[in-house]
Amino acid sequence: MTIEDLLRKYTAGIYDFSGIDLSEANLSGVKLIGVNLSQANLSVTNLSGANLSKANLTNAILNVARLSGANLSQAILNQASLNVANLIRADLNQAQLREASLIRAEMIRANLSGADLFAANLTSADLREATLRQANFRKANLSGAVLRGSSLRAANLEMANLHSADLVHTDLSGANLRDAELRKANLSRANLSGADLSGANLRWADLSGANLRWADLSGAKLSGAKLISTDLSNANLTNASLVHADLTQAKLIKAEWIGADLTSAILTGAKLYATSRYGLKTEGITCEWIDLSPTGDRSIIQKFNAEDAGDFFNETSPIIRIIVDAPLEHEANFTLAGAYYQISRQYRRLKQPPTMEIGRRRTVFTFRVERDEDLFPLAYIAILPFMDASSTQQSIEDVIDIIKGEDISYMGVKIPHRVRQLRAAIEEARNKAQSLKEVQKTLALAAKLKFFKTPTQTILTNSSAQTLIIYDNPSFGKRFINQQDKNGSFFDTISSESSQYLLPTVKMIKDFVKSFHYIEE
């Protein structure tokens, strides 16, 4: 069939030309909206500027075809072959290209917004400055592809293969890259803010200068990755692998990275304000100094000797455990939640509610603490709902008084003001405990419940994994026995052992406090 015959039939309302052979034909500028060219042979065909919107090109062969400036919006190109095709500035808005082959295709500045390229093969394709917003590249092969300066905002690249792809200056904000293959990809200065990169393979990738604010990199593989001056503020790096990664001057302000593996990583100059120093693997890290200022302006610098960095970054999160000698009941749980809510509104150091472990006989409340020096004042406040509060608080004050004349050192340097800081924090907690008027009703309700009258233990664990039993009710673990009063009724009583708790020794307290990891301010 000649081109003239095709155009005449199309004008007459015939749209089905499936299987037609138009290889090497010149169809530039033709208007074939909605035409059926499925399984057609259009190899080396010139379709530059043609209007093929809503056309059916399923399984069509378009290898080395010229489609520059063509309108293929909403066209169906599923399983089509477009290898080495020229699609420069082509409009493929909302087109379907599922499992299509676009190997080495030229797609510079093409528009593929909302296009479906599920499992498509775009190996070594040139997509420079292309518009790919909200496009579906799930399981697509983009290995070696050039996407420099393109827009992939909110695109779906889940499980896509981007091995060695060029993504310099690419906009991937809000994109889904979960479990994507990005090994050796160049993402320098790319915008990945809010992107989901959980489980992605970014080994030896270049992310220097990239924007990864609020990105999810949990479980991501970043071994050997270049993250120099990368912005990871508020990013989630939980359980990520950063072995041998270069994080020189990276911005990690308020990042979450508990469980991350930083073995042999470089952290010199990293900005770590309000970022946890605990729960990390840091063997062999290189870190001469870090920036702890709120804005990353180097106003608060922590310097390290060769052996100090590993001491600063450690694998234990400081915690407070309040162990109650009874299982938690629903009413007590409700009351306790209300109490801690009211307390947190007025005492900002209590940022999160405790985790709970409820057994048949005991309940353990665990509070995670950001800094070692917050252990004592937070324990002072956390015990408030319980009848043991006054005894525990007195014990905390006594512990601090015991070491008031002791020299407390950090990294081998004596720092006399450490105890003064602890005493000031306890004083603040004491004043706050007395002024928590809104909590009084809730605490009064708690006092009526048996759970809050039960004996408790309060145990502190610092960042060096050292523990200190700050209070242990002498009746803790003792079973109640029934006795009969003069009127013949039964009541519960405890063992007649002394109710006085013996404080830890001076050495135990001193060793516990000396092993704190302080942040210099």
Side-chain angles (χ1 to χ4, degrees):
M1 183 184 296
T2 64
I3 297 171
E4 290 75 15
D5 290 338
L6 181 148
L7 294 174
R8 185 171 59 254
K9 288 183 177 182
Y10 178 82
T11 303
I14 298 171
Y15 286 44
D16 189 358
F17 299 97
S18 58
I20 192 171
D21 187 350
L22 292 167
S23 58
E24 301 186 33
N26 185 2
L27 291 164
S28 61
V30 296
K31 185 177 181 180
L32 295 168
I33 299 171
V35 70
N36 182 3
L37 291 165
S38 59
Q39 300 185 50
N41 184 0
L42 296 160
S43 297
V44 202
T45 299
N46 183 0
L47 288 156
S48 300
N51 189 343
L52 293 160
S53 62
K54 299 182 181 179
N56 183 356
L57 289 150
T58 303
N59 285 307
I61 301 172
L62 291 140
N63 295 328
V64 202
R66 293 170 61 186
L67 290 148
S68 57
N71 183 355
L72 290 154
S73 60
Q74 299 181 58
I76 302 172
L77 292 134
N78 296 332
Q79 298 178 328
S81 183
L82 293 130
N83 299 324
V84 203
N86 182 345
L87 289 149
I88 296 172
R89 295 182 184 274
D91 185 359
L92 289 145
N93 181 52
Q94 296 184 18
Q96 294 183 38
L97 292 128
R98 294 174 72 88
E99 299 181 355
S101 183
L102 293 138
I103 299 170
R104 292 174 54 207
E106 294 181 89
M107 306 175 79
I108 301 167
R109 296 187 181 178
N111 179 14
L112 289 105
S113 295
D116 187 355
L117 292 111
F118 172 81
N121 188 351
L122 293 112
T123 303
S124 301
D126 192 343
L127 289 143
R128 281 175 291 167
E129 299 180 31
T131 303
L132 307 159
R133 289 189 290 269
Q134 297 182 320
N136 179 22
F137 286 95
R138 189 171 186 270
K139 292 189 175 181
N141 186 353
L142 288 148
S143 59
V146 180
L147 293 129
R148 184 180 292 249
S150 62
S151 175
L152 282 149
R153 184 177 296 180
N156 183 2
L157 291 136
E158 184 177 7
M159 294 186 280
N161 182 359
L162 290 141
H163 176 258
S164 299
D166 184 348
L167 293 146
V168 175
H169 271 305
T170 300
D171 184 359
L172 285 151
S173 55
N176 178 5
L177 288 145
R178 191 183 302 121
D179 296 317
E181 174 61 63
L182 288 149
R183 187 162 38 98
K184 295 185 178 180
N186 189 347
L187 288 145
S188 61
R189 300 184 301 284
N191 181 4
L192 289 146
S193 58
D196 185 352
L197 288 144
S198 56
N201 184 1
L202 288 146
R203 289 188 177 100
W204 308 106
D206 186 353
L207 289 145
S208 54
N211 179 0
L212 283 152
R213 294 171 60 88
W214 295 100
D216 186 353
L217 289 144
S218 56
K221 304 167 187 69
L222 289 147
S223 299
K226 188 183 291 184
L227 292 148
I228 300 170
S229 299
T230 301
D231 189 350
L232 288 151
S233 302
N234 294 289
N236 181 3
L237 287 152
T238 305
N239 297 321
S241 175
L242 290 148
V243 178
H244 288 288
D246 190 345
L247 288 145
T248 302
Q249 296 192 42
K251 194 173 183 179
L252 288 147
I253 292 174
K254 296 183 180 179
E256 176 62 64
W257 59 354
I258 289 175
D261 188 349
L262 290 152
T263 303
S264 300
I266 301 172
L267 280 158
T268 298
K271 305 175 193 303
L272 292 165
Y273 174 76
T275 300
S276 174
R277 296 178 284 124
Y278 314 112
L280 305 168
K281 293 182 180 178
T282 58
E283 184 178 355
I285 61 169
T286 300
C287 188
E288 297 176 5
W289 60 277
I290 57 171
D291 184 350
L292 295 169
S293 59
T295 60
D297 60 3
R298 303 192 186 187
S299 58
I300 303 174
I301 296 295
Q302 175 78 58
K303 295 182 180 180
F304 301 108
N305 295 322
E307 65 278 4
D308 291 342
D311 192 37
F312 183 84
F313 297 100
N314 50 86
E315 300 183 32
T316 304
S317 175
I319 59 172
I320 299 162
R321 282 182 296 153
I322 297 175
I323 306 171
V324 184
D325 201 16
L328 182 64
E329 300 164 344
H330 289 295
E331 188 177 3
N333 185 28
F334 178 79
T335 303
L336 191 66
Y340 283 141
Y341 169 71
Q342 294 290 350
I343 291 169
S344 66
R345 292 181 64 188
Q346 298 183 54
Y347 190 72
R348 296 301 181 182
R349 293 194 194 198
L350 188 66
K351 295 180 179 179
Q352 293 181 332
T355 59
M356 294 184 293
E357 184 181 342
I358 307 168
R360 290 183 179 180
R361 297 176 62 177
R362 289 176 183 169
T363 304
V364 181
F365 298 100
T366 302
F367 297 82
R368 294 200 174 275
V369 180
E370 290 184 355
R371 308 182 307 173
D372 283 322
E373 50 265 48
D374 288 338
L375 283 167
F376 288 107
L378 266 172
Y380 196 99
I381 293 293
I383 195 64
L384 272 176
F386 298 91
M387 186 169 287
D388 276 346
S390 58
S391 297
T392 305
Q393 291 169 340
Q394 185 60 55
S395 179
I396 291 171
E397 293 183 29
D398 291 343
V399 162
I400 301 304
D401 284 340
I402 285 172
I403 56 168
K404 63 183 179 182
E406 300 291 330
D407 289 325
I408 304 299
S409 62
Y410 175 60
M411 293 185 179
V413 180
K414 289 185 177 181
I415 310 173
H417 65 279
R418 290 302 181 201
V419 176
R420 291 197 298 273
Q421 289 177 338
L422 290 173
R423 287 169 62 87
I426 296 302
E427 183 65 28
E428 178 193 357
R430 183 194 299 116
N431 294 336
K432 183 59 67 175
Q434 293 171 352
S435 65
L436 289 171
K437 295 180 180 179
E438 291 183 27
V439 188
Q440 297 307 315
K441 290 182 180 179
T442 306
L443 295 180
L445 175 60
K448 297 177 182 179
L449 300 178
K450 184 177 179 180
F451 179 79
F452 297 100
K453 299 176 183 179
T454 307
T456 66
Q457 286 181 333
T458 298
I459 304 172
L460 311 183
T461 303
N462 66 21
S463 60
S464 297
Q466 291 197 27
T467 62
L468 186 72
I469 300 174
I470 205 68
Y471 180 73
D472 184 2
N473 188 308
S475 299
F476 188 91
K478 310 295 190 300
R479 293 299 93 195
F480 286 80
I481 58 174
N482 288 324
Q483 292 187 0
Q484 198 173 33
D485 63 16
K486 294 179 181 179
N487 298 320
S489 61
F490 286 90
F491 63 94
D492 287 332
T493 186
I494 59 174
S495 166
S496 60
E497 293 179 32
S498 171
S499 60
Q500 181 65 42
Y501 167 62
L502 296 177
L503 293 171
T505 65
V506 175
K507 185 179 186 307
M508 290 169 64
I509 301 168
K510 186 175 178 180
D511 288 346
F512 181 77
V513 176
K514 285 178 69 175
S515 60
F516 281 10
H517 291 94
Y518 288 95
I519 295 177
E520 294 301 318
E521 297 183 3

